[in-house]
Amino acid sequence: MPTRFRFRLIPFCATLIVAAAGIALGQWQSHRAAEKTALQQRMQARASETPLLTLPADAVTSDMEFRHIKLRGEFIPQWTLYLENRPYNGAVGFHVLTLFKPEGSPQAVVVARGWAPRDAADRTRVPQVAPPAGVTEVEGVLRHDAGHVLQLGQADAPRPQAILQNLDIPALAQASGMALSPLVIEQGGKPGDALVRDWPAPSLGIDRHRGYAVQWYALAAMALIFFIVTGYKRGRHDKA
């Protein structure tokens, strides 16, 4: 006689819950991997496009990230800010930001000029890295923000030469009294100062998402296999 499968409601319900959760989480990880793949393709496509020569209008900035840009204008040196907790190759330091006013533009823009080390003896001392004076050209890559770290305590209001944890562009616009683009330029090109312009690439983690998806799908499959195998084992035991 064939082995009988013994069905039990509670293990069946538990199996459905585990399998459904595994499939749902696997699909979520797969979706994230697809999103990151599309982002990677978009970054590669925009890297080959002709650089912009003017700031994009606010209405289209959402589709401008990772576009290359070249602008002529002047830095506003008094509005230099320092984002702390930005390590580079294990060293503690700042990302140095300065407002830049492009020629013919009603808006200024924040330029992330590069990385500088922090003074270990005096943590309140900021790097003395003045931007070029007069009309100059800035080239770089547009980003939606200047990066974000965990905010410890109440955020300080932007002010000239301030040390900040994160950049709040609307607050900076209010403090400076200037109209600002919602985008940030990560400056590239050969550095003519002591700043390091080796910007961290966006953390995509496509393979990690795919690996997690496989693990969640495997969990769902194992739950179903375990339910079926134990059901037949119970059936054989009852038959005996």
Side-chain angles (χ1 to χ4, degrees), residues 82 86 88 92-96 114-118 127-129 194-196:
Y82 304 88
R86 265 59 177 191
Y88 176 74
V92 178
F94 301 99
H95 283 175
V96 181
W115 179 90
R118 189 164 201 164
Q128 299 304 308
V129 282
L195 297 172
V196 177

Side-chain angles (χ1 to χ4, degrees), residues 103-122:
E103 292 180 331
S105 173
Q107 293 181 318
V109 63
V110 175
V111 175
R113 295 168 47 216
W115 179 90
R118 189 164 201 164
D119 190 326
D122 183 0

Side-chain angles (χ1 to χ4, degrees), residues 155-238:
D156 294 331
R159 64 185 185 283
Q161 305 297 310
I163 296 176
L164 304 172
Q165 295 183 59
N166 294 295
L167 175 65
D168 184 338
I169 290 181
L172 178 58
Q174 183 177 9
S176 65
M178 289 181 281
L180 297 182
S181 169
L183 297 171
V184 173
I185 298 176
E186 284 185 349
Q187 188 173 2
K190 295 181 180 179
D193 46 37
L195 297 172
V196 177
R197 297 193 182 115
D198 183 15
W199 300 107
S203 179
L204 298 180
I206 296 172
D207 290 337
R208 185 176 69 251
H209 286 297
R210 288 173 176 166
Y212 287 157
V214 171
Q215 291 177 21
W216 285 118
Y217 289 139
L219 176 64
M222 288 175 61
L224 292 172
I225 293 171
F226 181 78
F227 174 74
I228 293 171
V229 170
T230 55
Y232 277 112
K233 284 184 177 180
R234 293 190 186 97
R236 286 200 301 269
H237 181 268
D238 292 345

